[in-house]
Amino acid sequence: MARRAVLEFWYELASTYSYLSAMRIEELAGAAGVEVRWRPFLLGPIFAAQGWNSSPFNLFPVKGRYMWRDMEREGARFGLPVKRPDPFPQNSLVATRVALLGAEHPWGPTFTKAVYAQEFGEGRSIAEPAAVAGILKGLGLDGDAILKTASAEPNKTRLKAVTEEARSRGLFGAPTFLTDDGEMFWGNDRLELAIAWASGERPGR
Amino acid sequence: MARRAVLEFWYELASTYSYLSAMRIEELAGAAGVEVRWRPFLLGPIFAAQGWNSSPFNLFPVKGRYMWRDMEREGARFGLPVKRPDPFPQNSLVATRVALLGAEHPWGPTFTKAVYAQEFGEGRSIAEPAAVAGILKGLGLDGDAILKTASAEPNKTRLKAVTEEARSRGLFGAPTFLTDDGEMFWGNDRLELAIAWASGERPGR
C-alpha cells in the first residue's frame, strides 16, 4: 500500500489566519486522503530577526485595519465567528508549549482548536497559564499536570528547536503548509492548493 | 435600468500579483456583469511612508524567494507564463504615467496587459521610455506622442493626486479592489471575492 501523503501545518497560536486554517484543515485534508501533521511554532523570534517587535498588523496599522475587516468577511464565508481579543496579538508562549506537547497526543488538534475558538471566536485571553489550564480542563484533561510538563525544561528546549527548524526551512509567516516534496504554501488562502498538491495534483500541467 | 456595479482595480505596474489580476479581471468581471475601472498607481511612495525603500520581496528575501515560487505555481494554474525581470522591481514610473493617460482611452487596459506580458511573461524591461514607446507602437499607437503627453506636467500632477488618493483610501499594497460601497479587497487571491461582492453577493449571510 502506498504511503499516505502528509501535509505539515505550521501555525502560530496568536495568528488570525492560522485560526481559519485550523478550523478547516481536518475536513479538507480528510476528503483528499491527506494526513495532517500539526506543527505549532512561535513567529515572534522570526519577526524579531527581520526587525519587527510586534505583529505586522500592529506595525502597519492600515494593513491591520484591513486584516480585521477581511477576517470578518472570511469568517462569514467559512461560518466561523470572529472577535478581536484585547490585547492583540495575544502572548501565545504558554499555549504553544502545550500545543507542542499535544502534537504527540490525540488531544493536540482538539486543544489547538479550543485555543483558537476562545481567542478569535470569543475574543477572550489565551495568554495566562490559568487560561490555558482552563481550556485543557474544559476538554476533560488534567490541565495542571499538562502545564507542568509543558513548562519543564525538555519541552521548552524542544520549542526552541522547532522555532529554529521553522527559520531554517524558510518560514516567514503563518499558517504555512509544507509538503513531503518540499513545497511551501503560505496563508489560509493556499490551504486548498496545499492539500491538492500533497495529494498529487499539479494544476496546469 | 439599475446602474451597473463598478469595481475599481488598483494596480502597480511593477507588482507581480497585479499581473495575475490584470490578465484575469476582464473575463471574470464580464461574466458577473461588473464594470472594471482601471486605476494604475505607484506603490513606491506608500512603501516609503512606512519605511520601505524597495519591494518587501527584496527587503525580506525569504518572502521574496517564496513569492517567485508561488508566482510560478499560480501562473501554471492560470495558464500565464512567469519570468522574473532583472532588475526586480522594475522602475514603473514612465509606464504608469502612460497607463494613467490610457485609463481615459480605450487602449488603456490593452496597454496595461501588454506591459505586464513583456515584464512578467517575458521577463523583459519596461523601465525605459524606449521600452514603453515600443509597447505602444506594438499596439499600433503613436508611442512618441503618447509618451510626450504622459510626461507633461498635467499628467505628472494627476499621478501625484492619484497616489495621494490611494494613500487616503487606505491602500497598502497591490492589487487592491474597491467596491462602490467602500469594501476593500487586497491581493490577487481576493479578485473573485471582490467581483462577487461588487455584484451583490454576501457570503454566509
Side-chain angles (χ1 to χ4, degrees):
Chain A
M1 212 180 112
R3 200 168 65 87
R4 210 169 167 210
V6 175
L7 185 65
E8 290 181 50
F9 168 36
W10 287 75
Y11 60 97
E12 152 67 73
L13 283 170
S15 147
T16 49
Y17 290 107
S18 295
Y19 160 54
L20 301 182
S21 287
M23 298 318 215
R24 305 193 305 124
I25 195 169
E26 287 172 313
E27 187 177 338
L28 292 167
V34 170
E35 189 180 320
V36 179
R37 191 168 165 219
W38 295 67
R39 304 291 317 260
F41 77 115
L42 293 173
L43 259 181
I46 288 174
F47 282 167
Q50 60 187 41
W52 294 350
N53 60 359
S54 178
S55 161
F57 297 123
N58 290 345
L59 295 173
F60 309 111
V62 286
K63 195 164 180 171
R65 271 193 297 278
Y66 170 78
M67 181 276 284
W68 286 109
R69 177 61 184 143
D70 189 56
M71 279 294 294
E72 227 170 60
R73 287 188 311 234
E74 291 291 88
R77 192 156 71 93
F78 299 130
L80 293 167
V82 172
K83 197 166 170 186
R84 179 184 173 137
D86 184 19
F88 173 81
Q90 290 277 298
N91 184 329
S92 58
L93 178 61
V94 175
T96 306
R97 284 179 183 154
V98 171
L100 185 62
L101 200 64
E104 316 266 287
H105 296 275
W107 53 265
T110 312
F111 169 75
T112 288
K113 289 184 288 176
V115 169
Y116 280 129
Q118 175 157 323
E119 180 184 21
F120 294 122
E122 302 172 31
R124 290 164 55 208
S125 178
I126 56 114
E128 309 76 24
V132 177
I135 292 168
L136 289 165
K137 285 171 193 169
L139 301 173
L141 297 162
D142 185 342
D144 299 325
I146 289 174
L147 263 190
K148 202 176 159 189
T149 310
S151 308
E153 216 46 60
N155 195 54
K156 285 162 75 171
T157 304
R158 246 184 89 217
L159 182 54
K160 283 182 195 131
V162 165
T163 306
E164 188 42 45
E165 182 187 349
R167 194 200 323 270
S168 73
R169 294 175 78 181
L171 270 72
F172 56 86
T176 293
F177 310 97
L178 295 174
T179 66
D180 285 337
D181 59 348
E183 286 291 322
M184 178 187 292
F185 294 85
W186 170 56
N188 178 59
D189 295 329
R190 292 284 177 280
L191 173 55
E192 285 83 354
L193 291 172
I195 289 172
W197 189 283
S199 71
E201 275 184 46
R202 295 295 177 272
R205 301 226 175 129
Chain B
M1 213 179 112
R3 200 167 64 87
R4 210 169 167 211
V6 175
L7 185 66
E8 291 181 50
F9 168 36
W10 288 75
Y11 59 96
E12 153 67 72
L13 283 169
S15 148
T16 49
Y17 290 108
S18 294
Y19 161 54
L20 301 183
S21 287
M23 299 317 213
R24 304 193 305 124
I25 194 167
E26 287 172 313
E27 188 177 338
L28 292 167
V34 170
E35 188 180 319
V36 178
R37 191 166 166 222
W38 295 66
R39 304 291 317 262
F41 77 116
L42 293 173
L43 259 181
I46 288 174
F47 283 167
Q50 59 187 42
W52 293 351
N53 59 359
S54 178
S55 162
F57 298 123
N58 290 346
L59 296 173
F60 310 110
V62 287
K63 195 164 180 172
R65 273 194 297 278
Y66 169 79
M67 182 274 285
W68 287 108
R69 177 60 185 143
D70 189 56
M71 278 294 294
E72 227 170 59
R73 287 189 311 234
E74 291 290 90
R77 192 155 73 90
F78 299 128
L80 294 167
V82 171
K83 197 167 170 186
R84 179 184 174 137
D86 184 20
F88 173 81
Q90 290 278 299
N91 184 330
S92 57
L93 178 62
V94 176
T96 305
R97 284 178 183 154
V98 172
L100 185 62
L101 200 64
E104 317 265 288
H105 296 275
W107 54 264
T110 312
F111 169 75
T112 288
K113 289 183 288 176
V115 170
Y116 280 129
Q118 175 156 323
E119 181 184 22
F120 294 122
E122 302 173 32
R124 290 164 54 209
S125 179
I126 56 115
E128 309 76 25
V132 176
I135 292 169
L136 288 165
K137 286 170 193 167
L139 300 173
L141 297 162
D142 185 342
D144 298 325
I146 289 174
L147 262 190
K148 201 173 159 192
T149 310
S151 307
E153 215 45 59
N155 195 54
K156 284 162 74 172
T157 304
R158 244 184 90 218
L159 183 54
K160 282 183 194 129
V162 165
T163 306
E164 187 43 44
E165 181 188 348
R167 194 201 322 269
S168 73
R169 293 175 77 183
L171 270 73
F172 56 87
T176 293
F177 311 97
L178 296 174
T179 66
D180 285 337
D181 59 348
E183 287 290 321
M184 178 188 291
F185 294 85
W186 170 56
N188 178 59
D189 295 328
R190 292 284 177 279
L191 172 55
E192 285 84 351
L193 292 172
I195 290 172
W197 189 285
S199 72
E201 274 184 48
R202 296 292 177 274
R205 299 225 177 131

